[in-house]
Amino acid sequence: MTKNIEIIESFFPVVGANYVETSSWKIQPFIKGWRYGHGNAIAVIKPGKLLELWNVLKICVKYDLIILMQAANTGLTGGSTPYGNDYDRPVVIINTLRINDIHIIKDGKQIISFPGSTLYELEKKLKHFNREPHSVIGSTSIGASIIGGVCNNSGGSLVHRGPAFTELALYAQINEMGKLELVNELGINLGKKPEEILLNLENINYKNSDYKSEQKRASDQDYEEIVRAVDKNTPARFNSDTRLLHGVSGSAGKLAVFAVRLDTYKAPKKRKVFYLGTNNSDDFWKIRREILKNFKTLPRLGDYLHRECYDAAKKYSKDTFIVIEKLGTRFLPTLFEFKRIVDIIAEKTKFLPNKFSDRLMQFISEFLPNHLTKKMDEFRDRFEHHWIIEMTDEGIDEAKDYFINYFKDSEADFFICNKKEEKKVMLHRYVSASAVGRYHALNNTKCGDMISLDVAYPRNEKNLLYKLPKEVEDKIEMNLCYGHLFCHVLHQNYIVKKGEDGEKIKNYLLNICKDKGAEYPAEHNVGHEYKAKSELSDFYKKLDPTNTFNPGIGKTSKLKNWK
């Protein structure tokens, strides 16, 4: 304990005592994952400058601490929080949200993001340049960080952009000798010494002549060709794809990232959302192949929702939907803080039930009016499978003509969303991810484990939306499926019935995926939920030979030097 106090106090001169959190009350949001994972840490450090981050890292190395780099902590597999309390060294969390600058460079065609910058803020900044970031959906609703997406190769639901990826970054790593090193791969001459490099970057003390001429990628430029290859028997994108493992990209917290440089994209002039419904999944199979193989303009996105998921989101994600619709995404951190305080108070009050905030918000939502449109609910009643496709510019008429012709003699159907429907359709899909967690929170004494699968299927797989065998289906309490059909990535969330072996069922489900040639995880990364494949664990060991950063990720060793 005395040693820990000495360690904690050593951070005070660097960041200030107010930015070193140690009380159990204040560190709760940082040591517990958004959906998965929990463990102890001796402190949460919140540097406000790049140089402060560098000096915090030096202290961590001096005292041989485990370092967990964290930004918004919005991951779904627990990859940015401690997992258990069986680490062999004290754990310190470095939260980077205060270091949130974004530099717009090359007339808006690229950006440099600092570790705490969010997609939401980047989207706002780029509007002035009529540009868009690599990802503008889903995660922007919960404030995900830009660098977090790159470190996890996440995203890719925007069909023509692919997973978050760059070869241009500034990061720190610990070498085999245990020495901290700063690696400048930003492609900008910022000096030689770490302190000089960090100050020059932060103060924008660089000019056009400082850019190096080397050709390195700041995005996944091959993805459009890859996703169009619908006859290939391999997935379009997945986290352990060695094609996208490079330095910071895919590093999953095994480095301390100071900055990344990313491409941006020209914003479309027009966009239109098409809502498709069918009871025969073969319809979506045919439409997907036609669009990817023959359309001149790729869709912007194509998100799938099963009827059961539609219903669950309508009931259990209603309050989140309305908060975002009425107050915007910026209110979500306040909402999460409210939930945290309520739950901590409830835990200390014997007569209040566990997960009290979820119960309270669900109770309130029951009295709120229907938040979805009549047309959406009509399609819910008519069809089991729902597909939201957004087209832009020239692709709008291309899609409209195709859908009119395809559906004219079909039992399936589609409609073109008006502005009100567009917003509601998109938001309903985004909040659907929270439905399974809310249901489990409300019914955790009545049901068994929650299983979340994030699976990338081969591009030629026809039976993507398969039905489970009856003997397995009978063991499932809830089955929610949503995902990105164009790239064949599905998020399959299950809650098993009480008394059933959740781990056994999960392994059975993963074996089905494996037999189909699928890869997992697809975009949420391994966290502490999946076992890293050998290619991925070897990549982690190369980045972090002493196993100081985020040990145990991908079910690897938590011990120093990977023992």
Side-chain angles (χ1 to χ4, degrees):
M1 181 61 72
T2 303
K3 181 69 171 177
N4 285 351
I5 293 173
E6 177 189 334
I7 294 171
I8 291 166
E9 290 181 346
S10 68
F11 293 111
F12 291 174
V14 177
V15 299
N18 290 337
Y19 296 109
V20 180
E21 306 286 7
T22 57
S23 73
S24 58
W25 172 278
K26 290 186 176 181
I27 69 173
Q28 281 301 312
F30 307 95
I31 63 174
K32 187 174 184 180
W34 193 65
R35 181 191 282 179
Y36 187 83
H38 182 268
N40 291 332
I42 64 169
V44 176
I45 318 298
K46 302 175 181 178
K49 299 286 185 181
L50 294 179
L51 190 55
E52 288 181 10
L53 174 55
W54 173 253
N55 289 328
V56 166
L57 291 170
K58 289 198 292 186
I59 293 172
C60 292
V61 172
K62 174 184 175 181
Y63 287 103
D64 194 21
L65 304 178
I66 283 173
I67 303 168
L68 296 189
M69 301 299 300
Q70 182 188 89
N73 191 19
T74 57
L76 298 179
T77 57
S80 58
T81 58
Y83 184 71
N85 297 310
D86 55 342
Y87 295 93
D88 62 344
R89 292 150 287 169
V91 176
V92 165
I93 295 172
I94 303 177
N95 186 277
T96 61
L97 284 181
R98 293 180 62 223
I99 313 175
N100 58 4
D101 203 3
I102 298 172
H103 297 175
I104 310 295
I105 62 174
K106 294 187 175 293
D107 299 320
K109 293 183 175 63
Q110 286 188 337
I111 61 103
I112 295 174
S113 168
F114 286 15
S117 309
T118 65
L119 286 164
Y120 178 79
E121 291 298 328
L122 176 57
E123 193 173 348
K124 287 200 306 179
K125 278 180 173 283
L126 287 176
K127 282 183 179 179
H128 175 72
F129 296 87
N130 198 32
R131 309 283 295 183
E132 291 182 335
H134 60 281
S135 179
V136 295
I137 68 165
S139 54
T140 55
S141 295
I142 51 176
S145 70
I146 298 166
I147 283 181
V150 175
C151 290
N152 292 303
N153 286 144
S154 60
S157 58
L158 294 185
V159 182
H160 51 295
R161 300 189 190 177
F165 172 79
T166 187
E167 295 174 335
L168 298 164
L170 176 67
Y171 59 90
Q173 64 183 154
I174 299 172
N175 64 21
E176 294 93 337
M177 306 302 295
K179 182 181 178 182
L180 184 68
E181 298 177 330
L182 187 68
V183 181
N184 182 9
E185 294 180 344
L186 267 181
I188 305 173
N189 180 18
L190 295 166
K192 295 183 178 180
K193 294 182 179 180
E195 292 79 6
E196 180 186 11
I197 292 170
L198 297 173
L199 288 173
N200 281 336
L201 177 60
E202 194 146 44
N203 296 326
I204 319 183
N205 187 22
Y206 55 89
K207 48 190 181 296
N208 289 339
S209 59
D210 290 318
Y211 289 98
K212 299 178 182 178
S213 60
E214 57 194 284
Q215 295 299 311
K216 288 190 175 182
R217 296 176 293 167
S219 62
D220 181 9
Q221 299 166 1
D222 301 323
Y223 187 69
E224 180 172 336
E225 180 182 348
I226 290 169
V227 78
R228 281 187 182 274
V230 294
D231 293 313
K232 296 290 185 180
N233 63 355
T234 55
R237 60 182 176 100
F238 53 97
N239 284 133
S240 60
D241 186 354
T242 55
R243 185 179 68 87
L244 299 179
L245 298 178
H246 184 283
V248 165
S249 297
S251 59
K254 301 302 288 183
L255 300 168
V257 186
F258 288 81
V260 296
R261 185 171 150 191
L262 294 165
D263 290 332
T264 67
Y265 299 81
K266 187 177 180 180
K269 296 177 182 177
K270 298 182 295 181
R271 61 187 70 188
K272 187 64 70 175
V273 174
F274 298 83
Y275 196 101
L276 284 59
T278 185
N279 291 312
N280 183 355
S281 60
D282 283 354
D283 283 318
F284 288 175
W285 158 259
K286 295 173 185 175
I287 291 169
R288 171 184 172 270
R289 288 178 62 84
E290 177 64 26
I291 289 175
L292 291 179
K293 288 183 73 173
N294 298 321
F295 269 37
K296 181 180 178 181
T297 304
L298 278 178
R300 190 166 182 265
L301 65 89
D303 277 7
Y304 169 80
L305 207 64
H306 187 269
R307 176 192 278 155
E308 191 171 350
C309 191
Y310 182 104
D311 292 344
K314 182 176 180 179
K315 181 174 183 178
Y316 296 109
S317 302
K318 185 178 184 179
D319 52 306
T320 305
F321 181 107
I322 292 174
V323 165
I324 297 174
E325 184 182 46
K326 303 299 183 185
L327 300 176
T329 57
R330 301 202 74 168
F331 185 76
L332 281 180
T334 304
L335 177 65
F336 292 150
E337 178 70 6
F338 166 76
K339 286 176 86 287
R340 180 183 70 85
I341 293 171
V342 168
D343 284 337
I344 291 175
I345 293 173
E347 288 174 5
K348 298 180 182 295
T349 308
K350 293 183 179 179
F351 63 86
L352 291 176
N354 68 328
K355 303 290 184 180
F356 180 66
S357 67
D358 284 292
R359 298 178 189 280
L360 175 63
M361 294 175 72
Q362 189 62 36
F363 176 77
I364 294 172
S365 72
E366 298 292 340
F367 296 94
L368 299 174
N370 182 14
H371 56 294
L372 303 181
T373 70
K374 182 179 179 181
K375 190 70 173 179
M376 291 170 67
D377 283 342
E378 285 178 355
F379 261 57
R380 178 265 165 219
D381 293 339
R382 291 173 60 192
F383 302 116
E384 179 182 0
H385 305 289
H386 300 243
W387 196 6
I388 304 157
I389 298 178
E390 181 179 344
M391 302 298 298
T392 58
D393 298 335
E394 292 80 5
I396 294 173
D397 289 338
E398 191 176 16
K400 182 180 177 181
D401 292 344
Y402 172 71
F403 291 146
I404 289 173
N405 182 65
Y406 184 91
F407 289 106
K408 65 182 179 182
D409 298 317
S410 173
E411 294 182 3
D413 203 355
F414 85 102
F415 68 91
I416 302 174
C417 296
N418 58 34
K419 291 296 182 182
K420 178 182 177 182
E421 288 165 339
E422 279 184 13
K423 293 179 180 179
K424 288 185 177 288
V425 161
M426 292 297 193
L427 189 50
H428 186 57
R429 159 62 187 90
Y430 299 159
V431 301
S432 62
S434 65
V436 66
R438 171 64 61 81
Y439 180 89
H440 193 261
L442 299 177
N443 299 280
N444 60 345
T445 60
K446 303 176 185 177
C447 58
D449 295 337
M450 180 168 60
I451 301 172
S452 298
L453 304 185
D454 168 31
V455 184
Y457 289 93
R459 286 163 281 177
N460 67 347
E461 174 58 53
K462 184 175 183 181
N463 297 316
L464 185 71
L465 308 173
Y466 62 87
K467 291 188 178 294
L468 296 173
K470 188 177 185 306
E471 61 270 20
V472 179
E473 190 72 51
D474 289 344
K475 298 177 181 180
I476 302 294
E477 175 87 12
M478 175 178 274
N479 177 358
L480 304 185
C481 181
Y482 56 91
H484 319 295
L485 285 194
F486 285 114
C487 57
H488 260 29
V489 167
L490 284 188
H491 306 300
Q492 298 160 270
N493 297 311
Y494 304 91
I495 294 177
V496 303
K497 291 181 177 178
K498 192 173 181 64
E500 298 292 346
D501 188 335
E503 191 65 25
K504 185 176 180 180
I505 294 172
K506 179 180 179 179
N507 289 333
Y508 175 86
L509 295 169
L510 288 175
N511 283 332
I512 292 177
C513 300
K514 187 180 293 185
D515 289 343
K516 288 177 173 287
E519 294 277 358
Y520 49 83
E523 61 178 346
H524 295 160
N525 220 331
V526 289
H528 291 283
E529 192 169 8
Y530 296 89
K531 180 177 175 60
K533 295 179 69 173
S534 59
E535 298 93 333
L536 197 55
S537 61
D538 288 346
F539 178 62
Y540 294 157
K541 291 175 182 177
K542 181 180 179 181
L543 295 178
D544 183 23
T546 63
N547 204 19
T548 297
F549 290 102
N550 211 8
I553 197 79
K555 300 186 183 296
T556 58
S557 171
K558 291 182 177 180
L559 303 180
K560 187 173 182 178
N561 298 320
W562 301 89
K563 293 179 181 177

